[in-house]
Amino acid sequence: MERTLVLVKPDGVQRRLVGEIISRLERRGLKLLGMKLLKPSRSLAEKHYESLKDRPFYPSLIDFLTSGPVVAMVWEGPKAVEAVRQTLGATDPLKAAPGTIRGDLGLHIQMNLAHGSDSPETAEREVNLWFSPEELVTWKAADEGS
Ligand code: DAT
Ligand code: MG
């Protein structure tokens, strides 16, 4: 089993697409372990996108991520990292396949609705950055085997 961090970015919250995005991840078969709404601090956003700090769009990306509330979530499942990235679609919504969140709901590369960790290692770092261990719940679904 893998865990991965998902953020509904400020554009997704402002467009009232939180439920739509959660619904798609639930229907994919992933399990929700933690969720909260918060307006990220600059420091949190900078740590989150640390690996992109030399890219020209980085200042604008930090401004965007801190511009309003986001919904941060941890989802679990087999190959959850890859499954979430597939359900999100390509970074640029114009290149994202129809049927994906970004391909169906977005047009703008920065306002691309949601974030998903890009590897199991990144996922571990990001889950620990956004959540404390007490904020994550381990539970068993009725349709899971023992
Ligand atoms: P992803 O969110 O698909 O993992 P990423 O980690 O490469 O993509 O980039 C993080 C975010 O930065 C991305 O969701 C949107 C923004 N971004 C990426 N490439 C960009 C570009 N060329 N111009 C503007 N924003 C960009
Ligand atoms: Mg990324």
Side-chain angles (χ1 to χ4, degrees), residues 9 49 52 57 61 85 91 102 109-110 112:
K9 295 183 187 182
Y49 279 131
L52 298 173
F57 56 81
L61 183 60
R85 300 270 301 177
T91 304
R102 288 163 171 172
I109 190 163
Q110 181 169 269
N112 62 1

Side-chain angles (χ1 to χ4, degrees), residues 4-123:
T4 189
L5 180 85
V6 173
L7 303 174
V8 179
K9 295 183 187 182
D11 58 324
V13 174
Q14 287 163 28
R15 292 177 58 201
R16 276 83 163 167
L17 290 171
V18 174
E20 169 77 29
I21 291 166
I22 290 176
S23 173
R24 287 175 181 231
L25 296 171
E26 277 192 314
R27 284 184 284 151
R28 187 77 201 269
L30 294 158
K31 189 202 268 189
L32 185 59
L33 302 187
M35 174 162 67
K36 60 187 172 186
L37 179 109
L38 71 158
K39 190 158 179 282
S41 65
R42 248 187 133 72
S43 142
L44 178 58
E46 286 170 358
K47 282 184 199 133
H48 178 76
Y49 279 131
E50 200 168 65
S51 66
L52 298 173
K53 64 176 182 297
D54 297 327
R55 305 295 289 273
F57 56 81
Y58 177 79
S60 160
L61 183 60
I62 299 302
D63 284 347
F64 168 60
L65 195 67
T66 56
S67 67
V70 306
V71 175
M73 297 174 278
V74 177
W75 290 86
E76 185 181 75
K79 298 250 179 114
V81 168
E82 192 184 338
V84 164
R85 300 270 301 177
Q86 196 179 50
T87 294
L88 278 178
T91 304
D92 183 350
L94 288 176
K95 300 194 179 115
T100 64
I101 290 168
R102 288 163 171 172
D104 287 349
L105 307 171
L107 280 175
H108 191 282
I109 190 163
Q110 181 169 269
M111 292 179 283
N112 62 1
L113 294 151
H115 165 86
S117 309
D118 65 9
S119 72
E121 297 70 37
T122 312

